């Protein structure tokens, strides 16, 4: 493998040509600009130069790019588009950059639309997950003939609980009866692991059964956010689940119609024309990445009130092209061979 010979370069220029110079150097892809933060503590430079502060601009673009990526993720999950074999960044001439900037407001509307839509889908998923958890917890109690939220009457406590299925329910019931005649237990259901038991006990005899409950590993179950009979609630859950699975597309469409939509989006089955949205957002993301590259380069500049200073490396075969760009931007520059250890 041949070794490319490099030259050190130092450049001073007027601040007004900085943006154009950065564009030209990025296009050439031949100059590696080096960090100069050491100058801030160097006796020769300290107090004479300062860094080109652009972190706030960079942070804003990073936040916006994050929103763009979230919107693209929504399209990927719900837009029914085929994934490309390779993801590539587009080449972008200046005329394209200007066009994308001019349409950025419309693209931002599309992004807001997608993020709002994603929030609605997220809320529905949360509801569906909650319903499924309720269904799982209520199913063993479907045959229970009291409201699951009944914890007590005037003089009686009602406790639902689980115990290991290997434990003999008949022996458990006999032990409860031997401890007090003021308590009864009912084996509501059982599965491969647990037995689901209802205990009704006069409040005056609660202390008499506590030892037996501990012996059998009885663990109380409570339904704090569910009221009524288990069977009725299971029917309710089934109906709600059916409405979410069957009416999801129409509800999403209704949400879009009620809350407005970007001008460039037509609504049909939730996410249509997603290919167009995807293209708009991807090209804006590419523009942001280009601008962020420029800002990261600027962050390596040192400047005075009206001038900037950069140092870097260039391959010898690109020296003529780099000189031409620097001369066109009326920059002063110095080229030299690298010193030992550089």
């Amino acid at each position: 493998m041949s070794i490319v010979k490099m030259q050190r370069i130092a450049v001073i220029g007027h601040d007004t040509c900085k943006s154009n110079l950065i564009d030209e150097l990025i296009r050439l892809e031949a100059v590696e600009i080096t960090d100069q933060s050491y100058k801030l503590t160097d006796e020769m430079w300290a107090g004479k130069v300062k860094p080109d502060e652009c972190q706030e601009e960079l942070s804003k673009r990073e936040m916006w790019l994050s929103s763009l990526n979230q919107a693209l993720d929504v399209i990927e999950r719900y837009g029914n588009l085929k994934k490309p074999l390779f993801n590539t960044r587009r080449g972008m001439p200046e005329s394209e950059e200007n066009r994308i900037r001019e349409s950025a407001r419309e693209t931002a509307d599309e992004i807001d639309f997608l993020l709002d839509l994603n929030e609605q889908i997220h809320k529905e998923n949360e509801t569906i997950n909650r319903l499924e958890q309720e269904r799982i917890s209520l199913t063993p109690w479907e045959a229970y003939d009291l409201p699951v939220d009944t914890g007590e009457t005037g003089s009686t406590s009602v406790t639902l609980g689980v115990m290991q299925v290997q434990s003999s329910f008949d022996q458990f019931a006999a032990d409860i009866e031997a401890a007090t005649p003021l308590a009864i237990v009912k084996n509501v259901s059982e599965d491969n692991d647990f037995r689901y038991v209802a205990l009704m006990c006069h409040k005056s005899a609660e202390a008499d059964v506590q030892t037996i409950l501990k012996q059998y590993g009885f663990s109380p179950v409570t339904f704090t956010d569910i009221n009524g009979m288990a069977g009725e609630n299971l029917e309710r859950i089934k109906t709600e689940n059916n409405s979410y699975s069957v009416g999801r597309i129409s509800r999403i469409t209704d949400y879009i119609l009620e809350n407005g939509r970007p001008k460039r989006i037509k609504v049909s089955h939730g996410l249509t024309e997603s290919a167009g949205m995807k293209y708009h957002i991807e090209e804006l993301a590419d523009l942001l990445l280009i601008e962020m590259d420029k800002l990261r380069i600027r962050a390596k500049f040192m400047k005075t009130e009206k001038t900037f200073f950069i140092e870097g490396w260039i391959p010898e075969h690109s020296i003529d092209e780099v000189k031409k760009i620097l001369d066109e931007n009326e920059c002063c520059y110095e080229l030299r061979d690298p010193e030992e250890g550089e």
Side-chain angles (χ1 to χ4, degrees), residues 13-219:
H14 197 274
D15 201 57
T16 55
C17 69
K18 179 170 57 181
S19 295
N20 186 64
L21 179 63
I22 291 174
D23 291 343
E24 292 292 326
L25 293 179
I26 288 177
R27 179 189 59 78
L28 187 61
E29 296 183 339
V31 181
E32 179 188 349
I33 298 175
T34 55
D35 180 72
Q36 302 178 84
S37 57
Y38 71 91
K39 286 185 170 66
L40 299 174
T41 56
D42 186 284
E43 290 184 3
M44 187 176 72
W45 293 92
K48 299 182 177 70
V49 294
K50 59 183 179 180
D52 194 332
E53 297 289 351
C54 54
Q55 187 57 48
E56 184 176 349
E57 293 179 58
L58 185 58
S59 296
K60 288 179 180 178
R61 284 165 174 78
E62 287 174 343
M63 291 176 63
W64 199 10
L65 183 62
S66 176
S67 295
L68 266 64
N69 288 330
Q70 290 179 48
L72 289 171
D73 183 60
V74 175
I75 292 176
E76 183 176 333
R77 281 184 287 145
Y78 305 112
N80 297 319
L81 297 178
K82 292 183 179 179
K83 291 185 180 180
L85 187 59
F86 300 104
N87 288 318
T88 58
R89 283 175 63 174
R90 300 176 177 87
M92 195 170 293
E94 185 176 350
S95 59
E96 278 293 283
E97 291 186 20
N98 292 335
R99 179 187 62 78
I100 294 168
R101 288 191 181 95
E102 289 171 2
S103 61
R105 181 62 263 169
E106 287 182 303
T107 304
D109 289 342
E110 293 176 347
I111 293 165
D112 290 342
F113 159 80
L114 288 167
L115 296 182
D116 287 346
L117 180 61
N118 188 52
E119 180 64 22
Q120 295 304 310
I121 294 172
H122 177 70
K123 288 178 180 178
E124 287 206 355
N125 287 338
E126 284 187 335
T127 301
I128 290 168
N129 291 336
R130 175 181 57 79
L131 291 171
E132 177 61 13
Q133 291 302 313
E134 289 182 2
R135 186 193 66 79
I136 292 171
S137 64
L138 283 167
T139 297
W141 304 98
E142 187 170 7
Y144 183 55
D145 52 6
L146 288 177
V148 293
D149 56 320
T150 301
E152 62 180 18
T153 63
S155 58
T156 305
S157 64
V158 180
T159 306
L160 304 181
V162 298
M163 51 193 289
Q164 293 295 321
V165 74
Q166 294 89 346
S167 301
S168 168
F169 177 77
D170 291 340
Q171 186 60 54
F172 172 66
D175 290 345
I176 291 290
E177 185 178 1
T180 175
L182 301 178
I184 57 173
V185 291
K186 179 179 180 180
N187 188 29
V188 178
S189 69
E190 59 188 60
D191 54 31
N192 292 333
D193 300 308
F194 298 106
R195 192 183 304 281
Y196 300 85
V197 177
L199 167 69
M200 284 150 275
C201 180
H202 195 276
K203 292 180 179 179
S204 64
E206 286 180 334
D208 298 331
V209 301
Q210 287 305 311
T211 300
I212 298 170
L213 296 179
K214 290 179 181 178
Q215 288 175 352
Y216 282 85
F218 181 91
S219 179

